[in-house]
Amino acid sequence: MRILIGGIAHETNTFSNVKTTVESFKQWEWIHGDTIIQKHRKVRNYLGGMIDRAEEIGVEIIPSFSAFAMPSGLITKETYERLIYELTDSIKAAGEFEAVCLALHGAGVAEDADDLEGGILSAVREIIGYKIPVVVTLDLHGNITDQMVKEADVLLGVNFYPHVDCYERGKEAIDITKQILLEEIHPKMSLKKLPLMIPTSTTNLPPAKHINELCWTREKNEKIIDCTFFHGFPYTNIPEVGVTVVAITNNDQELADQTAEEIAIEIWNTREDFFPDIDTPEEGLNKALRMEGKPTVREPDSIDVHKTTWVDDTNAHIYDTLLKRDLDGNLVPGLAEKYEVSDDGKVWTIVLNKTAKFQFQTTTKAKVFTSKKVNL
């Protein structure tokens, strides 16, 4: 039994102005053939799980091409075409194999290609046809599309965020592929899309924890191979963005449809719980200042504005205000150069910093205005 493995993974933030190029991938991973096995064997990621499980059960692995880049902006058209070429060319040169296991992501976007993974799978199918099974591992932040479901036999998403189960999903991909080849199972997939975008949600707490538990309960049914709640990736400005559910059964399309529908309804019914009431940075600082003692000052955990829990001048510039408070609670200039307040507190004169610019680098222009409410 010979199974070809490979992968292309990128989580694309379409709001970033930093384009993703071939060099972006080469900084992290751009490898072929046996180098894939050497680099990923015993590593707790998707490909590591595939390799280790295959060696455990005596399945021969045929490594093709693997590329990975850190989250960034749109993949350039030239890079997308190069990625497709590298993967398909490796497949053509691989000789005979009976199945394909790919480690993709699910939230990849390229110039002129909103669905990176759908495009990859379509290109693979053009080479191998539709008789050879294709099993795919995905990130739970994937925006799952009809094209992905059409081109793959099985789509397996991780269940946890943070993603601590990538290795297990890789091993499961090999086990399911083997079962397909032995004709022990005949997968039927159902995709249910919701008109919903949610913030990144950890799975150790409700409501994401609750939805996962519902999926796992369904999987106790021996006819259900897998049931996954895909959170989607809200930082992709594409038509297919959003929450989805994928249910996979053994040759029972009706059960797959029913299962995906039931989980989707539960997600919809608890949708408000995904949006906790979170203080603004200003509100949080004011709360801290009212506490006994002083706020704890620490280094930011990330300068990525979409990941960090810390707000400072580095990662909060797009939300900058005219004035802000320092750790002693005093108002200090932000985008303002200086300010004055009348004796009765009703008139504020603010001099705008001449270097202040909008996000798109256009120069700001100050205007005189009056307001009945000023938030400080």
Side-chain angles (χ1 to χ4, degrees), residues 24 79 123 131 137 144 180 191 203 214 232 251 290 292 294 298 307 325 329 356:
S24 304
T79 301
K131 292 184 179 180
T137 59
I144 312 306
I180 294 172
L191 170 65
T203 52
L214 290 178
N251 204 30
R290 290 195 295 269
E292 184 177 351
K294 292 292 182 180
R298 63 179 177 82
K307 294 179 179 179
R325 293 189 186 275

Coordinates of all heavy atoms in Angstrom, one line a residue, residues 24 79 123 131 137 144 180 191 203 214 232 251 290 292 294 298 307 325 329 356:
S24 N 8.5 34.2 0.9 CA 7.8 34.1 2.2 C 7.8 32.6 2.6 O 7.9 32.3 3.8 CB 6.4 34.7 2.1 OG 6.5 36.0 1.7
T79 N 3.2 33.3 -7.1 CA 3.5 32.3 -6.1 C 2.4 31.2 -6.1 O 2.8 30.0 -6.0 CB 3.5 33.0 -4.7 OG1 4.5 34.1 -4.7 CG2 3.8 32.0 -3.6
A123 N -6.4 21.0 -9.0 CA -5.2 20.8 -9.8 C -4.7 19.3 -9.6 O -4.2 18.7 -10.6 CB -4.1 21.8 -9.5
K131 N -10.6 8.4 -9.2 CA -10.6 7.0 -8.7 C -9.7 6.9 -7.5 O -9.9 6.0 -6.6 CB -10.2 6.0 -9.8 CG -11.3 5.9 -10.8 CD -11.0 4.8 -11.8 CE -12.0 4.7 -12.9 NZ -11.7 3.6 -13.9
T137 N -6.1 17.1 5.7 CA -6.2 17.6 7.0 C -6.3 19.1 6.9 O -5.6 19.7 6.0 CB -5.0 17.2 7.9 OG1 -3.8 17.7 7.3 CG2 -4.9 15.7 8.1
I144 N -14.4 26.6 4.8 CA -14.6 25.4 3.9 C -15.6 25.7 2.8 O -16.6 26.3 3.0 CB -15.1 24.2 4.8 CG1 -14.2 24.1 6.1 CG2 -15.1 22.9 4.0 CD1 -12.8 23.9 5.8
I180 N -10.3 3.2 3.5 CA -10.9 3.4 2.2 C -10.3 2.4 1.2 O -11.0 1.8 0.4 CB -10.7 4.9 1.7 CG1 -11.4 5.8 2.6 CG2 -11.1 5.0 0.3 CD1 -11.1 7.3 2.4
L191 N -21.5 19.3 3.9 CA -21.0 20.6 4.4 C -22.2 21.5 4.7 O -23.1 21.7 3.8 CB -20.2 21.3 3.3 CG -19.8 22.7 3.5 CD1 -18.9 22.9 4.7 CD2 -19.1 23.3 2.2
T203 N -11.1 26.6 22.6 CA -12.0 25.5 22.7 C -12.0 24.9 24.1 O -12.7 23.8 24.3 CB -11.6 24.4 21.7 OG1 -10.2 24.1 21.8 CG2 -11.9 24.9 20.3
L214 N -20.7 18.2 21.4 CA -21.8 17.7 20.6 C -21.3 16.9 19.4 O -21.9 15.8 19.1 CB -22.7 18.9 20.2 CG -23.5 19.6 21.2 CD1 -24.2 20.8 20.6 CD2 -24.5 18.7 21.9
G232 N -13.9 29.0 10.9 CA -13.7 30.0 9.8 C -12.6 31.0 10.2 O -12.2 31.0 11.4
N251 N -20.9 5.8 4.0 CA -21.9 5.5 3.0 C -23.4 5.8 3.4 O -24.3 5.1 3.1 CB -21.8 4.0 2.6 CG -22.4 3.7 1.2 OD1 -22.3 4.6 0.4 ND2 -22.9 2.5 1.0
R290 N -8.4 52.1 39.1 CA -9.3 52.2 40.3 C -8.9 51.1 41.4 O -9.4 51.2 42.5 CB -10.7 52.2 39.9 CG -11.2 53.4 39.2 CD -12.7 53.5 39.1 NE -13.3 52.4 38.3 CZ -13.5 52.4 37.0 NH1 -13.2 53.6 36.3 NH2 -14.0 51.4 36.3
E292 N -6.6 48.9 43.9 CA -5.5 49.2 44.9 C -4.2 48.8 44.3 O -4.0 47.7 43.7 CB -5.8 48.4 46.2 CG -4.8 48.7 47.3 CD -5.1 47.9 48.6 OE1 -6.2 47.3 48.6 OE2 -4.2 48.0 49.5
K294 N -1.0 49.5 41.6 CA -0.9 50.0 40.2 C -1.0 48.8 39.2 O -0.8 47.6 39.6 CB 0.5 50.6 39.9 CG 0.6 52.0 40.7 CD -0.3 53.0 40.0 CE -0.1 54.4 40.7 NZ -1.0 55.4 40.1
R298 N 3.7 44.5 31.5 CA 4.4 43.4 31.0 C 4.7 43.6 29.5 O 4.2 44.5 28.9 CB 3.6 42.1 31.1 CG 2.2 42.1 30.4 CD 1.5 40.8 30.5 NE 0.2 40.9 29.9 CZ 0.0 40.6 28.6 NH1 1.0 40.4 27.8 NH2 -1.3 40.7 28.1
K307 N -3.7 38.8 17.1 CA -3.4 37.7 18.1 C -3.2 38.2 19.5 O -3.5 37.5 20.4 CB -2.1 37.0 17.6 CG -2.3 36.3 16.3 CD -0.9 35.6 16.0 CE -1.0 34.8 14.7 NZ 0.3 34.2 14.4
R325 N -4.5 57.9 28.2 CA -4.1 58.0 29.6 C -2.8 57.2 29.8 O -2.6 56.1 29.2 CB -5.2 57.5 30.5 CG -6.4 58.3 30.5 CD -7.4 57.8 31.7 NE -8.7 58.5 31.6 CZ -8.9 59.7 32.2 NH1 -7.9 60.3 32.8 NH2 -10.1 60.3 32.1
G329 N -2.9 57.5 35.1 CA -4.3 58.0 34.8 C -4.3 59.4 34.2 O -5.4 60.0 34.1
A356 N 0.6 63.2 11.9 CA -0.4 62.1 12.0 C -1.0 61.8 10.7 O -1.3 62.7 9.9 CB -1.5 62.6 13.0

